[in-house]
Every structure is written in structure tokens, then in C-alpha cells.
Amino acid sequence: MRPKLLTGNAAAAWGARLARVDYVPAFPITPQTEIIETLGRWIEGAEMPGRMVTLESEHSMITAAGAAASTGVRVFSATSSQGLLYGMEMIYTVAGWRAPFVLVNVSRGLASPITLEPDHNDVLAARDSGFLQIHCATCQEVLDSVIMAYRIAEDPRVRLPVIVNLDGFYLSFTREPVDIPEPDSVADFLPAYDPESTRFRASSPNSQAVAVLGGAPYSYFRYESHLASLNALGVHTEVAEAFAQQFGRRYEAVEAYRCEDAEIIFLMIGSFATKAKAAVDGLRNAGESVGLARPRLLRPLPTDELARILGGKQAVAVIDQNISMGMGGVLHAELASTLYGKANAPPVLTSFIGGLGGRDISPEEFYEIAAITREAVKSGVTPPPRLLYTEQEYREVQKLQAIAHAERYEVGAE
Amino acid sequence: MAKTPIRRMKDLPSSHLFGSGTPMCAGCGGLESLHQIYEILGPRTVFVNAAGCMTLLAIYPFTPFRGSWLYTAMASAPAGAQGIRDALDILLEQQRMEPAEDLNVVVLTGDGSANGMGLSATSAAMERNLDFLYICYDNEGYGNTGQQFSAATPHGARTATSTGPHGFSGNKKDLFSIWAAHKPAYVATAIGAEPVDLARKIEAAKQLKGPRLIITLAPCPPGWDFDPRDAADIGKLAVKTGIWPLKEYVDGKVVHSKIPHPRLPVEEYLQTQGRFSHLFHPRRDEGLLAEIQDSVDRYWNGITE
Amino acid sequence: MYRIRFHGRGGQGMKTASRVLGTAFFQQGFQVQDAPRYGAERRGAPIFAYVRASRTAINERGVIRHPDLVAIADDSLVSSPAAGVLQGLGPGTTMLINSHDTPEVWRHRLNLDATILIVPVGEEVTDRADLPFAGMVCAAAAARLVGVIGREALAAAIREELGAHGNALADRNIETALHTYDLMQDHAGAVTEGTEISAENYASPQWIDLPLENAGRAAPSIHAAATSTLLKTGLWRTMRPEIDYTHCNRCWWVCSTFCPDSAIRVNEAGLPEIDYDHCKGCLICVAKCPPHAIEAIPEHLAQAREEKAHAAKTPDR
């Protein structure tokens, strides 16, 4: 099929459609809503089989998703931001049910203050839940990742649900050329779901998700989920290889762009990483040896692959589109623990926080990040973490504050 | 009331389908009704549970259920029922599952979940006309955490969070009416101490499609502070004094399945339980006793059957 | 890479315009990225959308900061800062304005370095929010200006984007678009691909370290009343209600009560007055006025009349 221009949301819906999902528990939230609207339209118009049910909250939506997956059907759901947080109790809960399904999260910053535009604090709040996480940088990758996610999630060596993440606005509402695979070809790649013993049937009693008493069984069950998550690394490699064979598009756990001979590497996740890619090209044109490493898998974190790509480099500049209050960038900390003690770990690891709440990152800022990091390599002194924030932006905020704090401002006062 | 084959005690099944060995308290009024309910529903069921005392029914690797069970969380058991029911329907429609493999989907929660954080999910399940049975065992407080007051705690009862001289200052939420306002297929109140009434209601609910919801009052020895041996008697008194009316909502009408006659004074029920002892000791709290009796009287005076 | 921004009002088809141009580029073998800017897609309110097109993969994302072409469907938005039409314009930018006025008039008005081209407003309408084909005209003109999109690709793109609404609508749009496309033939290729920002010679971003401020200031709280009145939603208005005081019967303030925007107040003489800074032009007052004393006038005509009156007055000063 000739590629079509699709938004990231439409690409996610196509991924679910081609994966032949049976059940879509849903709840609207910006910027995800177009996904469920699209699936709803297709299901109502009999363009795809399946059933969609709108729940009354994301908490219920994720419960229904896990319960249906536990009954042995293929489930798809989607949410964003506050919705993901509202359902967070169940995100952790259903991951432990070991019933696979795919949840698309369209990243959007978290309250407070409430906002609509993207950063990754929402999806990172689910980081430790047991869900695997795939972070997409293009609309094509969204569609492909949803299909791949089912194969990974349903693999008996994994059996964990997967979050496929895309950024609000920058992908969700942006159209790009997307190749929509042929349904038959997807059916070859992704066979029907076999739930094995994970289902409710009259002939076989099944008490699911029961309580435990004591730390020993608890630790066992929890650690088994961790091992399954780690095991997904190898499964991802296999699935990515099969995907490449079937569709000609190859996805590594970490996308390495112009890294081989690079001295400095940008490290980012999500769609903003393509901006970093453009900056890498710009820097290369200026004679700078810079590359980009983009972990596509965030859980499990491909630590060996990251260590391999980053090993021997002079420096890594981590650009976090998130903030852990009181600590800083989450990826920076994760990368530090990934590299610490490794024989050829890069000596300099700089930390930048940018793109919070959809705040853009300009090419000039990437160039500046490279310059600061190069300077750190030269001096051997790593600069403190830096928020990408300009004097002009602060002045604009001060203007807003002047309005917000105006004394005795009265309606109609002239 | 719908016609069922159960008319007297002798008609009750006694196959003891529900496994013994659970960690529920000795004399648990909730378990008393649940095992009776299970006799009638049978093992072709999947129970979907919200956090509460009965979450501990299944502790790995022990379960009393011969059928299936899924623990969800405190707020979303009806949504779990939705997911299972929808999945079973999809499998049936697409002939991916034999009809013989189908299950009745049953939500099982305490009063804390039913009256509080689970109410939104319950309301929505009714609005979606989900085909499910909801059993709420009502022990009138957050029993599993040591009997703090819940929205189902009766006026004047002493709980771990209403320890003052007048007990709980609020009033028991009228969950029956809230449920009935959604016009589901069936709503009823019941109690394990009235097994024939309970069995007939479960039978009636079993015959219907759509949302069917039953609250069983669950006398709770540790929470209400009485000797476990008195659980069934206290349950009977709850009915005889009229403080726990047995009723059904079906076809848009509320009908009482048992009208206490003569109706005993409510203090005969209250004085059996330590949670009301401050109404009698060190001296009778005539004001509060009259208030409670009055509210029971007003209820029954409004019933014109 | 081509970087093109469309500006207009909610209802004038800006998202469709960006999609048509995006699809047309795509038909011609370009890599494409197009997106509307969501947030305030209210009828009449300023809205914009954008298209990137390149022969190679597009890695740049988000709102276009330095456009090669800015196409404006509604000329009444050009000089309003809130609409952001002029943001990021440089000497290399072409402005395409859907307007009755000439490029000379606009150059004089704006005093800008940019190239200004006019696409004549076809059919005039009462309510500019319904301006027929406003977005389509801009998309078609843009297609011609970039010089790499053929008639067929443009027509096919329109059919693809509007086909779901029926052939008749697509046909009418194609006819209009091709007419505009032909009108712009003298300017074919006038817009060329912009350059990339160099990593050798760039303006430093001027980062600062944010100071710690106390919670009273640093929390998202507004310690002031009705500050929303600073927002001049009158900009959204495409139809203006005007009160004919000879017919107003000074009723108990029907118009002012029904006005959702608190934009009609009653003066000391008991007469209603419309606050045009905030009136969005919903026209509920026109519908509800018992003696029918409020009339709806196209905003652009009302403004033209005001300008004339102002010009006539000025020499007296």
C-alpha cells in the first residue's frame, strides 16, 4: 500500500485495527481522544470487528482492560496524562495479572498547573509498574510499535502489558507519511492471541490476582514480573527482526544515529529526539562529531545496548523532557546508573531539562548543549543540570505575574 | 417476588459448594450469606472483588471458590465485571468459546466500596445495562481495617472513628434507593439470618438479565462487638425490629418481602451489640434511642402494603 | 525544506488548507508534515496550521518559527498581535494575504521587509466566518507559489481531503482552487525552500538560571479579580450586533441578560451598550431583542465604515 499521511493518533488507531483487537475500553482525554473516536467510527461502521465500551473513568477503563485480557481476548486502550494517573492504581495492579494488552499513552504534562501539551512525566509515573514501555519518535513508529507490542506482550516468555507512548501535539495531531501494512501481512506476523491458562472458563477454575501473606511469596511474584520484563529485551530483538523481515522496517531497542564515530552523544526519548537528529546533522555540517542515542524501549531499559553505544565516547548530553522534583532529569539518573563502573564509560554526563509542557527546543539550543558538553570534556568539569529556559521566557512570565498579582483590579475599571 | 422453587428451609440446597478454610472471622455474617448465595449460583461464576474483608477469601494458594475469582481494587470491581462480561460475549459471538464455558459475572464488595469509592463504577455499570449480579455484604463500617465508620454506618453506632458519647453522627446511606434510582433489573436487601428469603432473592436475580444488585446485612462480631454465636439471632432481630427492611425493587416497584408484625422495639436489637452500649450504659440515652426508634417508625409508617 | 504557515479564523478551513497543501506536496513525492495548532479552535477565533515539505526525511517538529510563506485567509487578522500572524517573519518570508487591498497598501500598513502578495477575495459574504473557500484559496495559491505542485496533484489532494464529504463539495473546491492556482501563475516559484540554522554561526539561546521565588508568587494562582477582561475577544467577531436606539424600548435588559459574555451593560439612562472589545458576535441579543432593535452587520463592513469616519474626522484636528 502506498504511504498515507496520518496523524500519530490515526497511526495508533491503525495499529490497533491491524492487530485485530477484540475489545477497546475507552475514556476520552485530550490529546488522545482522536484514537478512540477513530476506532469507534470504524467499529460502528463495521469496518473492523470488535467492541468498544466507554467506561466512566480511566481507573475503570484499565480495570476493564485487564479483566478482559484475563478472560482471553485481545485488548487495546488509550489514555493520556491525568487519565493515566487516575488509572495508576490499576496500571500497577493489572501488570501483575500477567494478562497482556496494549495501552497507548499520548504524553501530556501533568498538573499542577494543568496543561495540554506534552512532556514525559505522565508516562514515567508508570515506569515502575510492570508495563513495558515503547517510546515512539514518528507516526510510522507508532503504528509499527502497536503491532510489535502485541507480539511482545503476548509472548509466553513475557506476558506483560505494554505502553506505547507518543507525544501529544508533536505526533498526536501531526500528519506524516505512514505506510499502512496489508492486513494479511500483519496477520502473518501477529497470529491470533492464545491466552493459554490465563482466562476465565466454566470448565476450569481460576482465582486470579489473589492476595499473598508475607514477603517471601510477594517478593517472588514481584521479581518474576521484573525478570519477565528483562526477558522482553531478547524477545524485542527477535520480534524486531521478524518485523524487519516482514515489513522492511527495523527497530532497535536503542536507535543510534551517527553514533559510530561520534565524540559526543545526545540522549533523548520521544518525538523531540528527531529535533536532536536534525541538530546532529547541523553539527556534523559544522564539523562536530555528534550523534544521537534514542532508547525506544524504556522498560525494560536496554542497559547493555546503551553501554555498548555510549562506551568510549567523550561525553553524553542527556536531555530530559521530564523532571523529578528534588532530583532532576529521570533519564539522566537512569543513564548514570547504567554507565557507572563500566570500563569505558564516558567521563562526562551532562544533564539538560527541556520541553516541559510542550516548550519547544530550538536548533540553537541543541547546538549550545553540544558546545557546553564539549567545554565540559575540555575542562573536565561537568556543569550543573540546566533547564532550557531563556531570559525572554522569564520576562514573559513576569508580565503574566504582573496581571495575576494586580492589586484591586476591578471589573470594568477604566 | 418472582416465583422460585424455594419456599421453606427444606428446599434450600445443602451441597456446601463454598469451600471452608477461609480466614473470615468466626461468626461472620457476610460469609454466612455468601455461602448460601454460592449454593444457588454455583461454580459457573466468576466473582469480581473489591478491597474489603472478603479480599482475604483467596490468599495464595488457597481459595474457597470452585469457580473463578478476580481481585481488582476498591473502586472498580464493577468495571472488572464489565471487562469479563464483554470478553465472554465477544468470545461467544465469534464462536471462539463453547456456550457451556460461559460464566455468571458476580461483583462482591463490602459496604465501604459499595457506598463510597465504588459507587461511581456501579452507577456506570448500571447505566451501561451490564448483565451482572452485585453482592454487597454490609457490615456497616470499614471492617477489614478495624471498623471505622463508613457511609453505611447507622446513626449512633460507635466505631473506631466515632468513639464519642453519641457514636456516629451521620446516617446510613440509602444505597438501596440510590441503586433503584438507576432502574436496574433487580435490587434487593437480604440477610443470611433469613436463608429462605435470601435464597429466593438470589434465585429471582439469577432468572433476570441486566444489572441485579443485592445488599445483605452482615452482622460482624468484632466490628459490632457481640459474641459470634449470636450472629444469626442478631440478624433475625434486625429484621424483626424493622431496622433492616427486607425488600425488592423489580419492574419499577419496591415490594417488602417480609413485614415484621408485630414490630419489636429497636432497642432489643441495639442492646445486643457493644457498638450501641453507650445508649444503655452508664445510663440510657433516651434522646438517641427515641431518635433511632423514630426513624424506624417513620420508615414503616410510610409503607402502605 | 519548505515551511508554510496558514492563518485564519476558526471555521475558515485552515486545518483543511494545511492538509490539502500537505497532501499535494506528498503527491509530488515530498516528505511532509502538517498540523493544525489546537487550543482555541473556536468559531471566529484566530487559528493557524502549518506544513513542512522536503525531499528528505523531516526531523524538525512543532510550530514553524521562521516561515518561508505565511498565507492569511482573513486580512482582518494581520495586524492583531493576538493572532501571531507576523511572528518570525524575515526578509526571506513571503506573505500571501486574501484581501481586497493591494500589496502597496499592505506594505505601507505593515512596514515590513517581507514580500507581500495578494490573492483577491473572490466572492464577498456577509459573515466572514463563512467566507467560502478562504482556506482553499490560500492552499491553492500556496501550491502555485512554491512552484513544485502541479494542477493535477492539487486537484487530487483536494479530492482526497474532501472526498468523504461528497463529490459535489470536492468539485466546487477544486474549481475554486484551480482558478486561484491559475491566477497566481505570474508568481509560480516565488517561494523557495528556506535554509537551516547553521551550527557554526548561531545566536546563543540566552538561558538563565531561574531564581527561587516564594510560593505565593511561584504557584499558579491569580490574586486579582476578573483579569479575563484584558483579553479582547472582540477579535473573534465576524458579525457585529448594533443597537438601533430609536427602536430600543428600554426593556428589562433582555439583551444584557442573555449575553453570555457580559458584553452588554445598561447605562444610567437605562440603555444597553455593547462592549465591542469583548463581544464575540454570537448574536443572541439580535435573536432575543423583543422590538428587534438590534441588527447584525458584517464586522469587516462595520470596520471599514469606522475607518472612513475616522479618516474624515482626522483633518479637523
Side-chain angles (χ1 to χ4, degrees):
Chain A
M1 210 184 275
R2 195 172 171 277
K4 258 178 84 94
L5 291 177
L6 292 185
T7 60
N9 280 343
W14 267 106
R17 173 172 170 167
L18 289 168
R20 307 179 310 286
V21 301
D22 295 308
Y23 187 49
V24 184
F27 192 80
I29 182 169
T30 301
Q32 166 280 126
T33 310
E34 183 191 357
I35 299 175
I36 58 164
E37 282 179 349
T38 303
L39 289 170
R41 199 170 59 241
W42 286 338
I43 290 170
E44 286 206 340
E47 285 181 68
M48 69 176 273
R51 181 184 287 210
M52 184 160 113
V53 173
T54 301
L55 279 297
E56 79 289 349
S57 73
E58 290 86 356
H59 188 278
S60 280
M61 175 184 92
I62 292 160
T63 308
S70 294
T71 312
V73 298
R74 189 171 277 163
V75 179
F76 175 86
S77 191
T79 190
S80 183
S81 186
Q82 305 302 127
L84 184 69
L85 257 67
Y86 195 75
M88 193 57 77
E89 181 191 23
M90 298 317 296
I91 289 285
Y92 273 70
T93 302
V94 300
W97 295 358
R98 305 299 299 272
F101 68 94
V102 174
L103 175 71
V104 163
N105 183 64
V106 184
S107 260
R108 164 182 153 190
L110 296 174
S112 285
I114 186 101
T115 189
L116 295 174
E117 296 193 47
D119 65 38
H120 296 145
N121 267 108
D122 60 350
V123 66
L124 288 176
R127 183 187 63 171
D128 307 332
S129 64
F131 271 74
L132 310 183
Q133 290 197 7
I134 300 176
H135 287 250
C136 301
T138 66
C139 296
Q140 181 74 62
E141 191 179 359
V142 170
L143 188 153
D144 293 345
S145 295
V146 169
I147 294 169
M148 288 173 71
Y150 278 102
R151 194 152 145 187
I152 298 165
E154 292 170 3
D155 191 299
R157 296 166 293 174
V158 179
R159 291 282 163 148
L160 285 169
V162 181
I163 289 174
V164 174
N165 199 69
L166 62 138
D167 291 328
F169 293 74
Y170 288 85
L171 285 186
S172 71
F173 299 150
T174 302
R175 293 200 314 174
E176 292 180 338
V178 176
D179 180 75
I180 304 173
E182 293 297 338
D184 290 349
S185 191
V186 177
D188 275 353
F189 171 79
L190 179 69
Y193 171 45
D194 175 7
E196 300 183 339
S197 63
T198 307
R199 76 272 186 280
F200 296 114
R201 297 289 183 276
S203 63
S204 47
N206 175 22
S207 285
Q208 264 256 86
V210 300
V212 296
L213 291 180
Y218 181 82
S219 302
Y220 168 81
F221 290 122
R222 295 290 287 174
Y223 205 75
E224 282 296 313
S225 285
H226 170 60
L227 292 175
S229 181
L230 292 178
N231 209 35
L233 279 172
V235 174
H236 176 270
T237 306
E238 282 177 33
V239 169
E241 178 58 36
F243 192 91
Q245 296 288 331
Q246 187 89 28
F247 304 106
R249 288 185 294 276
R250 184 174 294 277
Y251 294 99
E252 308 291 350
V254 182
E255 181 190 9
Y257 181 69
R258 304 184 84 165
C259 282
E260 294 232 321
D261 62 337
E263 293 163 355
I264 293 174
I265 308 271
F266 291 141
L267 189 128
M268 286 190 90
I269 56 172
S271 67
F272 274 45
T274 72
K275 293 165 174 282
K277 232 182 202 181
V280 164
D281 291 344
L283 287 157
R284 289 274 178 171
N285 289 340
E288 303 256 351
S289 307
V290 178
L292 163 75
R294 176 178 71 88
R296 223 172 77 74
L297 276 184
L298 198 75
R299 282 296 179 272
L301 188 67
T303 49
D304 290 349
E305 184 62 4
L306 282 167
R308 189 189 64 74
I309 292 167
L310 304 176
K313 305 300 180 196
Q314 293 178 359
V316 180
V318 184
I319 302 150
D320 271 288
Q321 207 179 347
N322 64 75
I323 185 162
S324 172
M325 307 294 175
M327 175 59 187
V330 171
L331 292 181
H332 179 256
E334 296 230 322
L335 198 66
S337 75
T338 297
L339 297 175
Y340 187 81
K342 294 277 192 309
N344 58 351
V348 172
L349 197 58
T350 53
S351 172
F352 297 87
I353 291 171
L356 298 183
R359 188 267 191 197
D360 207 353
I361 302 180
S362 68
E364 295 93 323
E365 291 188 308
F366 283 105
Y367 301 157
E368 193 79 351
I369 289 168
I372 288 172
T373 305
R374 185 166 294 288
E375 188 52 39
V377 170
K378 264 190 221 145
S379 67
V381 180
T382 300
R386 139 109 24 232
L387 175 72
L388 307 188
Y389 206 79
T390 63
E391 204 176 335
Q392 175 64 26
E393 287 177 296
Y394 184 53
R395 274 202 299 272
E396 294 295 331
V397 166
Q398 285 175 313
K399 281 187 206 159
L400 303 182
Q401 285 174 324
I403 295 169
H405 295 261
E407 279 177 33
R408 291 194 298 277
Y409 184 90
E410 279 168 24
V411 190
E414 271 146 13
Chain B
M1 179 167 215
K3 287 247 186 254
T4 72
I6 297 165
R7 283 160 202 219
R8 32 191 190 158
M9 292 292 270
K10 268 176 61 187
D11 298 331
L12 293 171
S14 58
S15 44
H16 300 297
L17 278 173
F18 196 76
S20 36
T22 74
M24 295 297 103
C25 301
C28 173
L31 195 61
E32 183 184 53
S33 55
L34 180 60
H35 96 96
Q36 296 174 28
I37 291 166
Y38 205 67
E39 296 279 347
I40 292 165
L41 292 179
R44 287 183 47 152
T45 43
V46 51
F47 276 73
V48 186
N49 175 241
C53 292
M54 294 215 182
T55 296
L56 300 180
L57 282 175
I59 298 178
Y60 192 82
F62 306 110
T63 178
F65 293 95
R66 287 170 208 273
S68 289
W69 160 271
L70 174 68
Y71 169 68
T72 55
M74 194 157 184
S76 59
Q82 181 82 45
I84 296 176
R85 185 64 263 161
D86 285 338
L88 291 170
D89 286 344
I90 289 164
L91 293 167
L92 288 170
E93 273 165 27
Q94 299 181 4
Q95 298 180 338
R96 285 155 61 187
M97 184 182 87
E98 292 295 318
E101 292 282 28
D102 196 16
L103 294 161
N104 287 310
V105 183
V106 185
V107 165
L108 177 69
T109 83
D111 54 282
S113 170
N115 286 275
M117 67 167 86
L119 188 52
S120 164
T122 312
S123 170
M126 285 191 271
E127 167 211 319
R128 292 187 299 262
N129 201 33
L130 177 65
D131 184 25
F132 79 127
L133 176 63
Y134 189 139
I135 308 288
C136 167
Y137 57 96
D138 179 3
N139 72 339
E140 306 192 317
Y142 295 116
N144 205 33
T145 47
Q147 199 70 5
Q148 298 75 30
F149 68 77
S150 77
T153 297
H155 187 60
R158 186 171 285 166
T159 69
T161 44
S162 55
T163 53
H166 306 294
F168 180 53
S169 61
N171 291 289
K172 187 176 176 72
K173 192 183 274 187
D174 186 358
L175 186 60
F176 177 92
S177 297
I178 292 169
W179 280 354
H182 291 77
K183 301 183 172 39
Y186 187 73
V187 185
T189 59
I191 189 164
E194 294 285 353
V196 175
D197 183 75
L198 172 61
R200 289 171 65 178
K201 284 172 178 166
I202 299 296
E203 274 288 358
K206 213 177 148 183
Q207 310 305 322
L208 296 168
K209 276 250 173 212
R212 295 147 287 149
L213 305 96
I214 299 177
I215 315 168
T216 66
L217 187 68
C220 174
W224 297 6
D225 189 11
F226 62 82
D227 191 321
R229 73 165 68 187
D230 297 331
D233 290 342
I234 288 172
K236 280 240 184 251
L237 276 173
V239 176
K240 285 183 173 166
T241 57
I243 199 166
W244 185 245
L246 296 176
K247 53 187 171 179
E248 293 176 293
Y249 166 91
V250 65
D251 294 335
K253 285 197 296 280
V254 176
V255 179
H256 285 76
S257 56
K258 217 176 184 95
I259 298 177
H261 193 73
R263 189 150 44 80
L264 301 180
V266 75
E267 64 176 86
E268 291 193 23
Y269 168 75
L270 303 175
Q271 66 194 2
T272 59
Q273 302 157 51
R275 63 173 172 160
F276 294 115
S277 64
H278 56 288
L279 302 183
F280 305 97
H281 309 287
R283 70 189 73 79
R284 287 171 61 87
D285 186 338
E286 297 294 356
L288 197 43
L289 282 166
E291 207 184 317
I292 296 170
Q293 184 65 57
D294 186 49
S295 82
V296 174
D297 292 346
R298 268 188 287 122
Y299 176 86
W300 288 103
N301 289 342
I303 304 304
T304 55
E305 288 169 35
Chain C
M1 190 187 307
Y2 290 102
R3 297 172 178 87
I4 296 155
R5 232 166 49 201
F6 289 95
H7 290 265
R9 294 178 182 276
Q12 289 175 338
M14 292 300 102
K15 180 175 167 183
T16 306
S18 69
R19 284 186 167 227
V20 164
L21 185 66
T23 300
F25 265 120
F26 190 54
Q27 300 268 359
Q28 294 289 352
F30 280 77
Q31 294 292 309
V32 171
Q33 195 189 78
D34 64 52
R37 186 60 176 174
Y38 279 84
E41 57 275 59
R42 314 273 193 271
R43 182 184 157 93
I47 187 175
F48 71 95
Y50 54 88
V51 180
R52 289 188 174 89
S54 168
R55 295 282 181 192
T56 55
I58 299 172
N59 286 320
E60 192 176 285
R61 293 191 175 277
V63 170
I64 289 173
R65 288 195 307 158
H66 303 297
D68 306 313
L69 171 64
V70 173
I72 303 131
D74 190 321
D75 63 359
S76 61
L77 294 173
V78 174
S79 29
S80 158
V85 175
L86 304 177
Q87 265 178 21
L89 267 61
T93 311
T94 301
M95 276 181 93
L96 174 79
I97 314 177
N98 191 17
S99 179
H100 290 294
D101 295 333
T102 62
E104 289 67 37
V105 169
W106 280 106
R107 255 190 290 281
H108 177 71
R109 245 181 228 156
L110 298 172
N111 191 24
L112 267 183
D113 229 355
T115 308
I116 296 175
L117 297 175
I118 295 299
V119 55
V121 177
E123 183 186 340
E124 192 50 91
V125 288
T126 319
D127 185 349
R128 278 223 168 170
D130 294 330
L131 202 59
F133 315 119
M136 198 54 69
V137 161
C138 287
R144 195 65 198 260
L145 292 181
V146 295
V148 292
I149 295 172
R151 284 179 119 245
E152 297 70 27
L154 177 62
I158 296 169
R159 193 159 308 282
E160 181 162 335
E161 292 304 326
L162 297 179
H165 303 287
N167 275 333
L169 183 83
D171 288 343
R172 278 204 308 281
N173 275 278
I174 290 170
E175 192 187 327
T176 306
L178 293 181
H179 175 69
T180 307
Y181 185 89
D182 294 340
L183 270 182
M184 302 305 289
Q185 71 170 346
D186 290 349
H187 302 292
V191 173
T192 53
E193 295 187 64
T195 51
E196 314 303 318
I197 295 165
S198 157
E200 280 171 296
N201 177 25
Y202 64 92
S204 171
Q206 309 283 318
W207 291 326
I208 52 156
D209 290 320
L210 276 182
L212 171 70
E213 297 180 333
N214 72 37
R217 185 171 176 80
S221 312
I222 301 166
H223 300 279
T227 46
S228 66
T229 53
L230 293 170
L231 300 172
K232 307 296 186 201
T233 46
L235 174 65
W236 299 16
R237 191 174 58 244
T238 52
M239 293 295 289
R240 175 187 294 200
E242 278 191 353
I243 301 169
D244 174 358
Y245 289 104
T246 60
H247 286 97
C248 172
N249 63 8
R250 303 184 192 200
C251 70
W252 284 98
W253 312 333
V254 169
C255 53
S256 117
T257 303
F258 283 108
C259 173
D261 284 293
S262 308
I264 304 180
R265 90 183 76 138
V266 179
N267 68 18
E268 281 161 10
L271 288 169
E273 286 175 350
I274 298 174
D275 165 10
Y276 290 116
D277 280 348
H278 297 100
C279 164
K280 293 172 185 159
C282 70
L283 306 182
I284 290 177
C285 54
V286 175
K288 298 306 288 182
C289 174
H292 307 290
I294 311 180
E295 199 188 345
I297 316 251
E299 182 65 23
H300 60 283
L301 297 184
Q303 277 181 19
R305 196 183 56 200
E306 272 172 6
E307 270 168 33
K308 219 180 261 172
H310 182 73
K313 249 195 225 162
T314 312
D316 296 345
R317 284 195 187 155

